[in-house]
Amino acid sequence: MTTLTPVLTKRWGKANSWRLAEYQADGGYQAARKALTMEPQAIVDLVKAAGLRGRGGAGFPAGTKWSFLPKPDGGPRYLVVNADESEPGTCKDMPMLMADPHMLLEGMIITSWAIGCHHAFIYLRGEVVHVYRRLLRAIEEARAAGILGDHVLGTDYQLEITAHAGGGAYICGEETALLDSLEGKRGQPRLKPPFPAAEGLYARPTVINNVETISQVPPIILGGADWFGSMGTEKSHGFGIFSLSGHVQRPGQYEAPFGVTMRELIDMAGGIREGHKLKFWMPGGASTSMFTEEQLDLNLDYDNVIQAGSMLGTRALQVFDDTVCVVRVVSRWMEFYAHESCGKCTPCREGTAWLRDTLCRIEAGGGTPADMDVLGDIPASIGGCFCPLGAGAPLALNSSLKYFRDEYEEHIRLGRCPFDRAATTAFNGEVA
Amino acid sequence: MSYDTGTRQSLERDAAQVVARYPKPRSAILPLLHLVQSVDGFVSPDGIEFVADTLGMTTSEVSAVATFYTQFKRQPNGTYNLGVCTTALCAIMGGDAIYERLREYLGIEDGQTTGDGMFTLERIECNAACDYAPVMMANWEFFDNQTPESAVALVDALRAGKPVAPTRGPDKLPTFKENERVLAGFPDGKADQGASAGESSVRGAELADEKGWAAPPYPAGGAAAPKGTKGEERK
């Protein structure tokens, strides 16, 4: 049986957990003090040896990403933390920043030192004011205490951190769109290469990592590579925050080693909603293929989930019980993608809009058998785009057709949705 | 530009602080647009001109950026921006019903503002609080685990001028303009209000406490040097 391993989530329930004094009382900034006595390269090597993979969805090894930066040329190098948490179902970075922003700042100090950065950025989605307050406050406290500034923790190392609030755009979670946005442009993805490691922010060498990735760096400095690797699976070392939402008794954030199963997590969350059965679940946000009870015993790590035909993404585990209409859910996700497509690449802009219109028509009861062909054809033609938004958009749809094709056909045959909308709600069907 | 001298001067003072946070001025455009909204309640033509002047851009370049992002409003926003999450999970958990109830109750459609300028209603996309579904954002503060009744009660309380507390946020819900100033990067002194985390956020950590589960302790005497070897206890 897998048990939980709270590391990042450990302090969230404590009073004033976001304050510097409380963070330091719990041993905060010890890892940064230690790291600043290490050679930068030794930190990169340690993070590589630990096997820390990006927690923002793609799972790319963080230390390897850092080592892609070219040799210093005397010009600036940047660390940008991606806090644009917007993938549907993903809800771990916002509580992290609200409850324990100093852990991220400490990880940023260590990472910045490792890559030779003197001005680091946090790109926070703009729709979370209280999270931004806590971040600004943490930076202010750290600066006043000499933890940031010209003499980081009493050394000669200089580091500034700017927390930046965006303006509302899912696509800015894509790293090159994020950089364009941070440069003051429309947040549209760039053609790669060049990759950000070579030409990132202001065309300078840049590391971009997710909040959770950087927040795991301090524990790795303190615990070491073997400690980190003692948790998780062979290719997915360590632990991560698994976010359970939807029709479970106790939705929430469950920090566990990779390899935990969905059955175990649902048990920890008190099981499926009383009186109902699991229908389908998403392993990593909306841009992944859905699973059913067939995959409940799959060990959740990056590679296992890919082998099973989906992606672990951001570990945004959304649970839907037997009251839910799959057409309704998938059409809503497609509305999301059509809304959030930046419009730069035609296949994504047009493809998501066509799929949205077709799906919404079917859900509303106006679908025709020919619409089923459209749903089958369009996904394969959304390719060749600058970023993966378009390619990810139809994954839930495709997998839903695999498991629940008859449900789509039933909508078309009946000319209406056969499900009771009221039955899905958290307030037991009491609908206005 | 029709700002009076006082407004113009205070905008310039604030803008200088915003621009100073970045290596290149243009990076300041999003916070400056938030700053404009904190004064005008939307991205006004005056505001666009002000940002263009400040950053050495054309007004069409500034508009091109502003119109890309959903938080920047092209018409005066209500004092309270009510965003109901209707992305798939919140929608089925009750977001659709909440949105419909508010639409009827306020008598406005998506993106519209009530005649008295109090409320703007929006369907919003996933706001990263799915473990509290269905979620509503008022001026981008979290209102967790909502029902149609709680949403209507929120409207009634705000109409009656009663203080309302977000579920995870400051003691009293600020206005749209006040929060836009925070998003421009100007602290309002409310960071220390509210809880560390909500109920759902801490469920895993609480369960671990209850069961005596924990990550292994750090090795005594600090971390061993990386050996590039794999740990042993693994599936």
Side-chain angles (χ1 to χ4, degrees):
Chain A
M1 186 190 72
T2 313
T3 55
L4 296 173
T5 51
V7 177
L8 270 55
T9 55
K10 196 175 162 61
R11 303 183 62 255
W12 292 7
K14 300 183 85 162
N16 298 316
S17 60
W18 67 92
R19 298 294 305 271
L20 176 61
E22 276 72 10
Y23 185 64
Q24 287 183 309
D26 289 338
Y29 290 107
Q30 290 304 319
R33 285 178 202 280
K34 180 179 172 188
L36 291 172
T37 67
M38 295 167 68
E39 287 299 320
Q41 186 59 45
I43 298 171
V44 177
D45 290 343
L46 173 61
V47 170
K48 265 191 198 171
L52 172 62
R53 295 174 66 169
R55 302 301 193 229
F60 193 82
T64 306
K65 201 177 205 181
W66 303 356
S67 65
F68 286 158
L69 292 198
K71 290 208 178 334
D73 61 359
R77 300 149 79 81
Y78 295 109
L79 168 67
V80 179
V81 170
N82 186 343
D84 192 59
E85 181 169 66
S86 309
E87 175 67 29
T90 311
C91 47
K92 62 188 178 64
D93 297 339
M94 294 307 109
M96 174 76 201
L97 295 176
M98 199 185 280
D100 206 350
H102 282 286
M103 197 161 186
L104 174 68
L105 299 188
E106 183 169 15
M108 290 177 73
I109 292 172
I110 298 165
T111 308
S112 297
W113 169 247
I115 64 167
C117 158
H118 296 286
H119 192 167
F121 296 85
I122 303 162
Y123 187 105
L124 176 71
R125 66 179 300 176
E127 305 100 319
V128 284
V129 180
H130 206 56
V131 176
Y132 194 42
R133 283 191 189 95
R134 292 270 167 92
L135 259 182
L136 291 172
R137 177 88 174 111
I139 293 169
E140 182 184 79
E141 282 201 296
R143 207 175 273 144
I147 291 167
L148 293 172
D150 290 339
H151 299 281
V152 172
L153 292 162
T155 67
D156 285 334
Y157 176 54
Q158 182 266 326
L159 178 67
E160 282 304 330
I161 293 179
T162 298
H164 175 93
Y170 166 69
I171 190 58
C172 291
E174 193 279 332
E175 60 181 16
T176 62
L178 186 154
L179 292 174
D180 260 28
S181 179
L182 187 51
E183 289 182 5
K185 302 168 188 159
R186 294 165 72 87
Q188 293 187 315
R190 301 173 179 175
L191 196 60
K192 295 192 269 193
F195 288 91
E199 291 181 37
L201 186 62
Y202 314 123
R204 293 295 306 169
T206 301
V207 164
I208 308 177
N209 277 127
N210 169 261
V211 169
E212 191 184 0
T213 314
I214 296 297
S215 300
Q216 291 194 359
V217 172
I220 289 173
I221 295 288
L222 294 175
D226 290 345
W227 170 81
F228 192 71
S230 75
M231 292 170 272
T233 63
E234 191 181 345
K235 287 184 177 164
S236 301
H237 288 194
F239 46 86
I241 304 172
F242 291 79
S243 308
L244 270 85
S245 61
H247 290 139
V248 288
Q249 303 276 5
R250 291 193 297 274
Q253 309 301 319
Y254 295 83
E255 196 172 6
F258 286 93
V260 68
T261 69
M262 189 58 170
R263 192 182 300 281
E264 290 171 323
L265 287 166
I266 290 176
D267 277 352
M268 291 178 199
I272 302 291
R273 194 163 65 136
E274 187 98 39
H276 294 282
K277 286 193 321 194
L278 174 69
K279 180 167 177 178
F280 62 94
W281 57 285
M282 301 295 285
S287 314
T288 62
S289 297
M290 64 177 58
F291 283 158
T292 63
E293 60 182 8
E294 283 173 40
Q295 291 88 359
L296 280 180
D297 293 312
L298 183 69
N299 291 116
L300 297 175
D301 74 8
Y302 294 102
D303 305 283
N304 274 332
V305 178
I306 288 172
Q307 273 165 28
S310 188
M311 285 178 295
L312 192 54
T314 49
R315 284 152 279 121
L317 305 161
Q318 301 166 82
V319 177
F320 299 89
D321 73 16
D322 52 9
T323 60
V324 176
C325 170
V326 78
V327 182
R328 181 177 174 207
V329 169
V330 169
S331 62
R332 280 314 172 76
W333 279 325
M334 203 57 72
E335 284 190 277
F336 171 84
Y337 291 113
H339 183 258
E340 300 298 337
S341 172
C342 79
K344 184 167 183 165
C345 307
T346 307
C348 170
R349 184 185 66 238
E350 296 299 317
T352 54
W354 272 83
L355 287 173
R356 172 201 58 200
D357 292 349
T358 309
L359 283 163
C360 289
R361 185 163 60 237
I362 295 173
E363 206 245 327
T368 66
D371 284 336
M372 293 305 288
D373 299 333
V374 173
L375 296 186
D377 289 346
I378 291 183
S381 64
I382 308 182
C385 299
F386 275 46
C387 90
L389 187 150
L395 294 176
L397 165 65
N398 294 345
S399 52
S400 75
L401 286 168
K402 186 172 101 189
Y403 295 115
F404 305 108
R405 190 182 176 88
D406 53 340
E407 216 164 278
Y408 287 84
E409 289 167 347
E410 195 182 359
H411 279 72
I412 293 171
R413 198 169 55 246
L414 296 174
R416 64 176 172 82
C417 175
F419 286 84
D420 174 12
R421 281 197 167 208
T424 65
T425 66
F427 33 87
N428 291 322
E430 192 282 318
V431 178
Chain B
M1 209 178 305
S2 55
Y3 288 123
D4 61 58
T5 314
T7 308
R8 169 94 198 182
Q9 282 173 349
S10 91
L11 273 171
E12 280 169 356
R13 254 192 326 271
D14 289 342
Q17 280 190 49
V18 174
V19 169
R21 295 180 204 139
Y22 300 93
K24 300 204 176 184
R26 186 167 169 160
S27 286
I29 189 166
L30 298 189
L32 288 181
L33 290 166
H34 283 303
L35 181 68
V36 164
Q37 295 206 124
S38 77
V39 174
D40 290 337
F42 73 121
V43 177
S44 60
D46 281 349
I48 289 173
E49 217 179 309
F50 172 75
V51 174
D53 276 3
T54 304
L55 299 178
M57 296 166 69
T58 65
T59 51
S60 55
E61 284 171 330
V62 174
S63 293
V65 173
T67 52
F68 187 82
Y69 300 92
T70 49
Q71 282 184 286
F72 299 124
K73 308 295 181 183
R74 283 186 258 183
Q75 278 110 36
N77 207 76
T79 309
Y80 298 101
N81 193 76
L82 304 179
V84 183
C85 179
T86 55
T87 309
L89 188 114
C90 269
I92 63 113
M93 295 296 283
D96 278 353
I98 294 168
Y99 173 76
E100 281 308 318
R101 176 73 78 88
L102 282 182
R103 199 176 64 90
E104 282 170 25
Y105 195 67
L106 295 170
I108 51 174
E109 302 293 322
D110 189 8
Q112 293 182 343
T113 301
T114 51
D116 59 1
M118 277 282 276
F119 300 104
T120 300
L121 178 65
E122 282 188 304
R123 290 177 64 187
I124 60 167
E125 300 293 0
C126 186
N127 220 92
C130 318
D131 46 347
Y132 298 97
V135 171
M136 194 165 115
M137 304 300 291
N139 295 340
W140 309 116
E141 306 284 2
F142 292 107
F143 285 78
D144 300 330
N145 299 117
Q146 293 296 291
T147 65
E149 290 67 34
S150 68
V152 164
L154 170 65
V155 167
D156 287 342
L158 291 171
R159 269 190 180 146
K162 292 182 189 155
V164 169
T167 320
R168 291 173 290 148
D171 297 340
K172 178 178 176 288
L173 177 64
T175 65
F176 180 76
K177 288 182 180 179
E178 286 167 348
N179 269 359
E180 282 295 316
R181 186 165 172 84
V182 178
L183 292 177
F186 294 96
D188 60 3
K190 295 174 182 166
D192 292 339
Q193 297 179 9
S196 301
E199 189 188 5
S200 296
S201 307
V202 297
R203 275 180 176 143
E206 282 177 358
L207 181 66
D209 266 358
E210 190 187 309
K211 302 269 188 185
W213 296 339
Y218 295 141
K227 285 173 288 200
T229 53
K230 308 286 181 209
E232 279 157 25
E233 287 175 43
R234 192 167 294 145
K235 289 192 177 76

